[in-house]
Amino acid sequence: MYRVRRALAAAVSVGLAVSLAACADSERGEGGDGKSDATLTIAGTGKPKNFDPIFNDDGESFRPARQIYDTLIQNKAGSAELEPALATKWDVSPDGKQITFTLREGVKFQDGTDFNAEAACFNLDRWFNMKGAAAQSQMIYYTDVFGGFAKNETDAAGDPYYKSCQATNPTTAVMSLNKFRGALPAALTLTAFSISSPTALKKYDADKVTQSGDSFTYAAYATEHPVGTGPYKFQSYDASNGTTTLVRNEDYWGEKAKTAKLVIRTIEQESARKQELESGAVDIIDFPAAQDWKALEGKGMKVEVRPAFNVLYLGMNEKNPKLKDLRVRQAIAYAVNREQLVKTKLPEGAEVAKEFMPKTLTGYADDVTEYKYDPAKAKQLLAAAGASNLSLKFYYPTEVTRPYMPDPKAIYTSIAADLTAVGIKVEPVARPWNGGYKDDIQQAGKHDLHLLGWTGDFNDAYNFVGTFFGREKPEFGFTDKTAFAAIAAADAEPDATKREEAYKQVNRDLLGKYLPALPISHSPPAIATAGNIDGLVASPLTDERFYTVSKS
């Protein structure tokens, strides 16, 4: 039977402290160091946007980035526990406004230059000093975590938390903040905050991002020459078929990759990914359909089911005057039969989401307002709001499968049918995931309704509710400064008990007072490998690193 990591769910509440088997069997052709000349081929679900992590916020772009780069701090394999990466230790000052990193010695970037405190500070300063509205608009994670820039050039940015970074000696970097930030230092595990070679960044003009209409163009660093310190080096990207090729970094500071080459192919259709795994054309596929798990096991494949550390939501854009009315948003919430959707469209182990974060996180509130399926009440609310003839553009993505959204079209179809049943006219708008959808939703706000979600990056309530609703975003058209201030206050509260209660109240208000979106579900995503693949450590954060994987 496929391996479902049910035990992980309990462990999430104490930091997702999970230890998954990661010891690779010895493979044919290996030397004494466990390395081989094998090629490991992975089927991803969508094309990467580019290879400069700071300009990305999606899993398909982060999949290759996690192999090329390292962060200062990382999550322990198979968990959300913090552990050293490029920093061997970190010390936070009593007021939380200074973090001192002791850095790993003897580390080289893949271009042969040294990683040291100056390089670490160069990266932190680069992000803070980024110029141009186009570049800043693509730094979604940075704005969510660090608030703003030295000079804000977008409306989304606010007051910066970041103040400065000082390299006091080659192995010590001191980051200073303007005020306490509860999400730090854990947020530095985010792939977006990977450390790049300063030499390569300057050589390939990495900060140059241009916008033409809804399209963004990135510098050669992001498309052809990414350079980090990770276990694999970038070799090439074939944009025509979405194939990324990486090669082992023989000078990696840690355990050397067990395969000489790592190829990440984009195969958008789940059925096609499964066929390629069964034929032996690929070694690992992500997000196999739940109905195929047992069949794959029966054919000798290995299936690991990650815990559901995620949320899918239906976003409602208050830029539409009708959706500005809370009664209309509540009507939509009552109209959606989430129980039926979860039962028929999502994998075993999925459950209806009461709020916008998993129940294992500190700050989850059991007593939030709930929206049980009630189409009659939905019609009443629409009538009371004068919106009985409501017409909405409903966006959903194509060319992708996400951990929280295994089949976007099927989920859209289910919700659209529910909305139609209460008299809402739905206009479907299907857009490619990294070919317009995310920019239409997150930058331009062209939609009325949309499907999106989130897989947690670190074990903190802010990573969910703060990321979604901590500031004004085109995605929701949600502008309530009182809500933003409450989330900021919860994040800034140093007392753990008070912080937990503050986040509970945030969750109560999000569902009862504001309802900027409707939480749909938490869904357990799987990853499947061929029978001759060993050493994969499945991550609840979908944060897999493949250097431990061997192929016999």
Side-chain angles (χ1 to χ4, degrees):
M1 185 178 178
Y2 53 84
R3 300 171 67 188
V4 186
R5 297 292 185 181
R6 301 298 184 203
L8 291 180
V12 174
S13 62
V14 289
L16 281 166
V18 179
S19 178
L20 302 180
C23 297
D25 294 334
S26 143
E27 65 177 280
R28 298 188 205 99
E30 284 186 354
D33 57 3
K35 297 189 300 182
S36 81
D37 58 3
T39 295
L40 182 69
T41 303
I42 299 166
T45 71
K47 294 180 179 180
K49 185 169 72 173
N50 63 67
F51 301 98
D52 187 343
I54 198 61
F55 295 129
N56 287 296
D57 70 324
D58 71 285
E60 294 305 326
S61 299
F62 287 154
R63 194 190 306 274
R66 289 183 180 114
Q67 323 312 319
I68 299 169
Y69 298 93
D70 293 304
T71 46
L72 291 173
I73 305 169
Q74 66 186 15
N75 296 114
K76 187 177 180 180
S79 82
E81 280 188 274
L82 303 185
E83 72 171 9
L86 291 176
T88 58
K89 60 176 290 193
W90 50 95
D91 297 297
V92 182
S93 63
D95 63 1
K97 293 168 62 175
Q98 194 171 82
I99 305 174
T100 300
F101 299 97
T102 301
L103 304 178
R104 196 174 297 276
E105 297 185 57
V107 176
K108 297 278 188 181
F109 288 104
Q110 294 147 0
D111 59 5
T113 58
D114 291 333
F115 166 75
N116 51 30
E118 287 188 2
C121 287
F122 183 95
N123 278 262
L124 291 164
D125 288 340
R126 176 208 175 200
W127 307 331
F128 176 60
N129 291 306
M130 189 67 66
K131 294 179 173 61
Q136 289 185 8
S137 74
Q138 296 301 291
M139 295 172 63
I140 293 174
Y141 267 118
Y142 185 82
T143 311
D144 286 340
V145 173
F146 286 99
F149 302 87
K151 181 181 179 182
N152 292 333
E153 299 184 51
T154 69
D155 293 337
D159 295 333
Y161 284 89
Y162 182 83
K163 183 177 182 180
S164 66
C165 183
Q166 182 180 6
T168 58
N169 62 55
T171 60
T172 305
V174 181
M175 179 174 73
S176 297
L177 304 174
N178 289 309
K179 52 185 174 179
F180 173 76
R181 185 72 166 104
L184 293 171
L188 292 174
T189 61
L190 295 171
T191 306
F193 302 140
S194 297
I195 302 298
S196 296
S197 160
T199 299
L201 289 169
K202 290 182 282 190
K203 181 177 180 179
Y204 298 109
D205 204 12
D207 296 356
K208 186 177 181 181
V209 180
T210 58
Q211 181 177 3
S212 177
D214 296 332
S215 300
F216 292 83
T217 301
Y218 300 89
Y221 178 84
T223 57
E224 301 175 47
H225 302 287
V227 179
T229 59
Y232 288 97
K233 299 188 294 184
F234 180 85
Q235 184 178 78
S236 65
Y237 176 64
D238 186 338
S240 64
N241 59 22
T243 298
T244 306
T245 302
L246 311 178
V247 296
R248 181 165 53 219
N249 177 10
E250 299 291 356
D251 298 318
Y252 183 52
W253 57 267
E255 178 186 351
K256 305 299 187 291
K258 294 189 181 300
T259 55
K261 187 175 289 188
L262 177 63
V263 176
I264 304 173
R265 293 174 51 193
T266 298
I267 305 177
E268 293 154 1
Q269 296 298 320
E270 188 283 326
S271 58
R273 293 197 299 275
K274 182 187 71 168
Q275 290 168 6
E276 291 291 86
L277 179 63
E278 291 173 336
S279 72
V282 303
D283 303 303
I284 299 174
I285 65 170
D286 217 347
F287 314 134
Q291 63 267 26
D292 294 328
W293 293 350
K294 290 182 181 178
L296 287 170
E297 280 274 347
K299 294 179 180 179
M301 313 299 171
K302 302 173 184 178
V303 179
E304 292 276 358
V305 183
R306 309 165 175 114
F309 194 56
N310 58 39
V311 66
L312 167 69
Y313 56 79
L314 174 67
M316 297 178 272
N317 188 356
E318 295 180 36
K319 188 167 72 172
N320 181 322
K322 290 292 187 182
L323 290 174
K324 193 74 175 174
D325 191 322
L326 176 61
R327 293 171 296 180
V328 175
R329 301 196 302 278
Q330 289 173 329
I332 291 170
Y334 283 116
V336 179
N337 191 343
R338 292 178 290 167
E339 289 79 5
Q340 182 67 15
L341 188 156
V342 166
K343 187 183 299 182
T344 60
K345 306 299 181 186
L346 296 176
E348 177 187 344
E351 59 183 26
V352 172
K354 285 176 59 175
E355 52 206 85
F356 296 99
M357 61 189 230
K359 64 180 64 175
T360 49
L361 279 177
T362 300
Y364 184 91
D366 287 318
D367 56 347
V368 298
T369 301
E370 297 189 51
Y371 296 89
K372 300 291 187 181
Y373 178 54
D374 191 339
K377 190 165 187 175
K379 291 178 181 179
Q380 291 169 1
L381 285 164
L382 289 170
S388 295
N389 297 313
L390 187 62
S391 179
L392 298 173
K393 291 183 294 183
F394 190 164
Y395 275 61
Y396 69 92
T398 63
E399 302 180 11
V400 75
T401 300
R402 301 310 308 135
Y404 46 80
M405 185 168 52
D407 188 341
K409 185 176 182 180
I411 294 169
Y412 156 79
T413 301
S414 177
I415 295 174
D418 290 340
L419 298 178
T420 301
V422 300
I424 297 173
K425 183 181 177 181
V426 175
E427 178 188 342
V429 183
R431 298 280 278 143
W433 177 253
N434 266 332
Y437 183 77
K438 291 178 78 269
D439 284 337
D440 280 359
I441 299 300
Q442 295 177 316
Q443 303 300 329
K446 292 182 176 182
H447 59 294
D448 295 319
L449 304 177
H450 73 286
L451 292 173
L452 206 58
W454 191 258
T455 298
D457 301 294
F458 54 97
N459 197 34
D460 188 270
Y462 188 90
N463 187 229
F464 284 85
V465 295
T467 297
F468 305 148
F469 310 120
R471 60 184 172 89
E472 187 173 342
K473 291 186 173 184
E475 181 178 349
F476 303 106
F478 178 52
T479 60
D480 196 295
K481 289 182 168 54
T482 302
F484 303 155
I487 292 171
D491 175 71
E493 176 54 64
D495 181 273
T497 301
K498 292 179 180 178
R499 192 166 190 261
E500 178 178 5
E501 183 51 45
Y503 271 120
K504 285 183 177 180
Q505 190 58 48
V506 163
N507 282 312
R508 295 182 190 109
D509 290 344
L510 283 171
L511 273 296
K513 290 173 60 176
Y514 303 121
L515 199 67
L518 175 67
I520 300 292
S521 58
H522 307 294
S523 184
I527 187 167
T529 76
N532 64 335
I533 298 299
D534 292 297
L536 175 67
V537 183
S539 167
L541 314 176
T542 65
D543 180 26
E544 286 81 20
R545 290 168 170 80
F546 298 107
Y547 69 94
T548 62
V549 177
S550 61
K551 179 178 178 180
S552 58

